[in-house]
Amino acid sequence: MLSLLFRFGKYDRDTSRLLAKRRFFNTFRPHLRLVSLVCFVLGVIATCALPLSIGHQSVDADERALLIGQVARYFTHMDDIFAGNRLSWDQQALNNSSSLLFEELSSLGFDTEIQHYQYPVGEDGDLVNDQNVYGILRAPRSEGTEAVILSAPLVDFSGQQNQFGIRVLLNLAAHFRKFSFWSHDIIFLIPGEGLYGMKTWLDAYHGLYCDPMDYRCDNRPIKYRAGPVRAAINIEFTGSQQFGDVGIYPEGVNGKLPNADLVTTVVRALQYEGMNVYFHRNNIRLNSWDPWFLYYDIARQNLLDFLSSQALGLPTAAHSLYMQYKIDGISIVGIPASPGITGIPVDQLARGIESAMRSVNNMLERFHHAFWFYYLPFADRVIPLAIYLAPIMLIIASAVFMSLDLWLRSGSKVIPEAKSREKSFQMLQRPFGDSTFTEMVRPLYIPLLLLATAHTFSFFFLGMKEMIKYTALAGIDQTRFIWTSLVVAHELFSLYFCPLCMRILTGEAGASNSQSVAAWKLLKCLACCECGLFLVVLATSNPSLALILALLLIPQVTLVKPSRDLTGNALQHVLLAFFSPSTIVLGFTFVPGMEVIVRKTIEQVIVGSDLFGGSLMYWLVLFYWPMNMVTQFILSMEI
């Protein structure tokens, strides 16, 4: 009956469509591995091309109400009333700094308060006892429904006195109270030492307090409040030395960035006052007549600095915690002047900050016109999302195509297209035993069990974070010992213990046969799929970390393959072990000059995850480490 229907041409159109689909599918499927390789290579090339000026955009405010640089600035050198000895910074004054700052802000007529706090560091760590001082200038033209923060910590992020920054803040506080055009309440905040003061004050301002059962924590509520904070500008100028240029730090915890309009406002306001503004403290001048390769080199250095800072997700300055509360914040830092170069006068810097504050004051709502996702090759140029995300997605697509190739190859046989067909009806002539429904069995229980085992074992490393932190604080020998132990445990579990357990529990090692595909292919397929899924998710929140993990991890999961050649297998084991997190950290501890940096970074990553909500440790331990372990599982399985 079916042959008669084909003979009379009733299914000619459907048959042609099915044949066209199968022809395309059979043509495209053998080239999936090549497509995977091409995507990875193109992604790497596109990443290397990011420093080129072709993809850079000059920053310009999308919110026209900001009127950057178009407002009058009234600050002069006569307004520098805190010059000289009015603020004494000897040791006795530092011990009573909160009282002195409270008196200065109270004398200006602000709602001023000293907030005492006590914060525990770690499970059994020391207690941080300090004080925050803040004063609120009530806006005469509004009902106090919106606020802006101008902050200057007593001690900057490098651990030195922020004498110049507090001087500028107090001068601006005395200057701002003279005018009645403010439509936002202005909060002048001077947090205590470190980031604990800033976190404590922000928690109290938003109604978050310590656990009553934790006797070590004392986060007292604050008396005065303003409205929701729309933006925040932080000032950090170390000591009282001369500063030739200024830099900006936009990155927050977990790589969060403020709205691009805030960055544009601060950069343009400072530039209009004649100051050179750089990204971080990379004060390398670039002239318009410089060749393209010099532009590329400077942009490359800035992008590497930006990528490393955003990927680590650690606080870079006191403003970093503002983004945790959906407050767009940025830090202005001072770059010391070279010998013989005149530094920036206080009135010049104050006018630039005054201009930025006046522009933010024009806003009647949150920053929302510009974007939150961008790269900064320079302080006044950005790489938009559409340009920098394409290389990341190309690299991730490499793993997706490899996963698709492995899944299709493991599930069915490739049916050869008929070389001849009957003239009377259009039915394909296939070899005997081959059918459209010819499929291979996919033994998924072994790959799924191995994936679950790798992720479960990663919690063992996560539970050792306090021990790792204490050994990092104790000394370099203790740090090397604990990381050597982790390397040995990781390798023993990956190479011997887990494969042995699989053979005992399942009675087989996942080898292929006439009806079942090899289990290592399915494990590699699932690993590639998982990498693509989680890296895409990560790219939406921290693209720099997603890019670095993709460059490290995707070659491992796409190129690993068990071999009957013992030398080839051993070489792959060595390379995979070299890229495991424990081996990387252990290797850096033996690099001359890196011992202190490694110990400090380990401590900051663990403390940042516990206190400030950093996610780097969890991505490394719960994602990268298990995936590296899975690649070593693959080498231990039978072909």
Side-chain angles (χ1 to χ4, degrees), residues 354-423:
E354 179 189 5
S355 176
M357 294 291 289
R358 288 287 306 275
S359 297
V360 174
N361 182 68
N362 294 334
M363 289 286 295
L364 301 178
E365 52 191 348
R366 290 184 181 274
F367 287 101
H368 66 280
H369 282 283
F371 36 81
W372 279 268
F373 298 96
Y374 49 87
Y375 279 1
L376 282 176
F378 295 94
D380 55 353
R381 297 177 189 178
V382 299
I383 302 177
L385 172 70
I387 294 179
Y388 78 76
L389 195 61
I392 303 175
M393 290 304 170
L394 279 174
I395 296 175
I396 297 175
S398 174
V400 176
F401 282 116
M402 180 60 69
S403 175
L404 181 61
D405 175 76
L406 291 169
W407 182 260
L408 294 177
R409 290 177 182 272
S410 64
S412 61
K413 295 182 179 179
V414 178
I415 305 301
E417 190 173 351
K419 297 182 180 179
S420 63
R421 57 170 64 113
E422 296 290 340
K423 296 182 180 180

Side-chain angles (χ1 to χ4, degrees), residues 427-488:
M427 293 188 67
L428 297 179
Q429 303 297 316
R430 301 186 179 89
F432 178 77
D434 286 336
S435 169
T436 305
F437 306 100
T438 301
E439 294 184 356
M440 298 286 288
V441 177
R442 297 188 180 101
L444 287 174
Y445 61 95
I446 295 180
L448 290 176
L449 188 58
L450 288 173
L451 274 176
T453 303
H455 286 284
T456 303
F457 189 71
S458 64
F459 283 95
F460 165 74
F461 299 105
L462 192 63
M464 297 181 62
K465 64 178 182 178
E466 292 298 329
M467 182 186 300
I468 295 174
K469 183 180 70 173
Y470 292 149
T471 54
L473 294 174
I476 189 63
D477 293 333
Q478 291 83 352
T479 303
R480 289 171 179 169
F481 173 78
I482 189 66
W483 285 102
T484 303
S485 303
L486 290 177
V487 169
V488 173

Side-chain angles (χ1 to χ4, degrees), residues 63-90:
E63 177 56 70
R64 300 304 176 185
L66 290 172
L67 301 176
I68 305 173
Q70 302 181 36
V71 295
R73 281 85 71 190
Y74 301 101
F75 195 97
T76 64
H77 68 280
M78 299 296 294
D79 294 306
D80 187 12
I81 61 176
F82 290 92
N85 296 324
R86 180 163 180 178
L87 284 179
S88 177
W89 289 91
D90 54 13

